[in-house]
Structures are given as structure tokens and as C-alpha cells.
Amino acid sequence: RVLGLVLAFGLAAAAPNPVSAQSETPRHGGTLVFAIGANPETLNPAVTTGVEAIGVACKMFNGLIYLDRDWNPQPELARAWTVSRDGLRITFSLQPNVRWHDGQPFTSADVKFTMEEVLAKFHPRTRLAFANVEGVDAPDPLTVVVRFKKVYAPFLHQMTCQEAAILPKHLYQGTEILKNPRNSDSPVGTGPFKWGRWVR
């Protein structure tokens, strides 16, 4: 108990002052050190729930939304969404001018492909959600419509990177998704960090 109290006191004393931390001006550049317990089994967050993989890959990839600290959906690759009155349709309006790290434009075709060909088939948890989906439409480059067979309330909350990372169609279409070399080397995402190198 004494050791626990000393450790707790030491951590509290070492914690940064929240007021001063909030007033710092953001700086570009530098190094992020992120501790994980093992080498990730994949760098493709759309096919795994592995903690190490998600922890690393979701710095390079995005979902349509992210959840804030109160678990409310916030815009990420989708800038807005509407749910039909009957709950059988969600229409996502995508962010304009987003590019993959290789310079290719991000469009609704990437979302449709990822939902139908990757998440619905390979993601350990999210594929169960897609059992409720009747179809995914991409009527224009910045709109995605998900049509449901029956109301499925958790769907929007599952559209995070951790549960539904969006992949680049131009690098995955026509390949064996689980064997695509981008899963273990040189992943291309839309996230804030680009691939550098992996020293195992």
C-alpha cells in the first residue's frame, strides 16, 4: 500500500500543469514516441482489432468519424451525415480536397470499396454490422449512402478508424486483401502521419 501511495504521489507530482499545457502553441515537426507491446501483425487497420496494429495504423489512416471524449461522433473523413427518418439510410458527405499520402484523391469510391470488399468481409467486428446493410451507393465523389435492411443504431459509432478504417481503392482493388504487401510495408493512408520505416 505504501508503494502504491508513493507511486501515485510521484505520478501526480510529475503530471504537467493542465493550464500551462493548454496554453502552449502547437509546433510542427518533431518525433512521436508511442510505446506498444509487440510488433503489429498488420498495418491494415481495416482487417484487425489488434491493439498494437490499431495503435500504430490509426495514426496513418482515418475513419469517417471519430468519437470525442463523451463518445459523440465527430467529423473526420465525413464532414457531415444525415440519418433518414426511418433509420434505414445514412448519407455521408465527405470532406473535399482530401488526398491519400501518395497524392491520389480520396473519394466516395474508396469508401464504397472499403465497406463492401474489406470491412464487410474481413474486419472481425465490423463485418457483423454489415450483415444489416442492404447496399452502399456512391452517387457522386463526395457522397456515400448506406442503405440498411433493418435499423441498426450502432453503425455510425462503428465508423471510426479502429472499427472501419478507409483504405485506398487504387492500391487494394484486384488484390488479395489479406496478402496485399501494403499491409506490412509502406501503407498509404489519409491520416496525420505518413509512413517512414519500420525497424523491427
Side-chain angles (χ1 to χ4, degrees):
R1 270 190 249 168
V2 172
L3 180 60
L5 288 174
V6 170
L7 182 58
F9 176 76
L11 289 174
N17 180 338
V19 174
S20 65
Q22 290 175 359
S23 63
E24 290 180 13
T25 303
R27 294 176 308 200
H28 293 280
T31 301
L32 171 68
V33 177
F34 183 78
I36 56 175
N39 281 323
E41 75 280 6
T42 181
L43 295 171
N44 179 349
V47 298
T48 185
T49 55
V51 173
E52 288 83 9
I54 295 297
V56 173
C58 283
K59 307 293 184 276
M60 296 180 284
F61 290 87
N62 296 105
L64 292 177
I65 62 110
Y66 75 92
L67 299 176
D68 66 18
R69 292 181 181 188
D70 296 318
W71 292 86
N72 296 312
Q74 300 296 330
E76 199 163 60
L77 287 174
R79 61 183 174 85
W81 50 87
T82 57
V83 180
S84 64
R85 190 178 294 268
D86 62 6
L88 295 176
R89 183 182 308 251
I90 300 178
T91 301
F92 293 97
S93 298
L94 304 181
Q95 302 279 4
N97 306 315
V98 175
R99 293 196 173 272
W100 294 98
H101 294 157
D102 63 3
Q104 294 295 313
F106 160 77
T107 72
S108 59
D110 297 302
V111 179
K112 178 178 169 63
F113 170 79
T114 301
M115 287 183 168
E116 293 179 338
E117 302 300 326
V118 184
L119 299 172
K121 295 178 180 179
F122 300 111
H123 194 279
R125 282 192 296 257
T126 307
R127 70 177 178 209
L128 301 176
F130 278 90
N132 300 298
V133 172
E134 184 176 63
V136 179
D137 303 317
D140 64 59
L142 294 178
T143 305
V144 174
V145 181
V146 181
R147 294 176 284 109
F148 296 89
K149 301 172 189 173
K150 60 181 182 178
V151 174
Y152 181 68
F155 188 83
L156 184 59
H157 281 74
Q158 289 181 274
M159 293 297 101
T160 63
C161 179
Q162 294 81 0
E163 299 291 321
I166 305 301
L167 300 181
K169 178 182 177 181
H170 65 282
L171 297 177
Y172 278 87
Q173 187 177 38
T175 72
E176 288 188 64
I177 302 297
L178 297 179
K179 294 182 179 179
N180 188 301
R182 298 281 177 170
N183 293 343
S184 58
D185 189 32
S186 302
V188 172
T190 54
F193 288 87
K194 290 184 179 181
W195 173 257
R197 63 194 175 103
W198 185 351
V199 180
R200 290 169 174 79

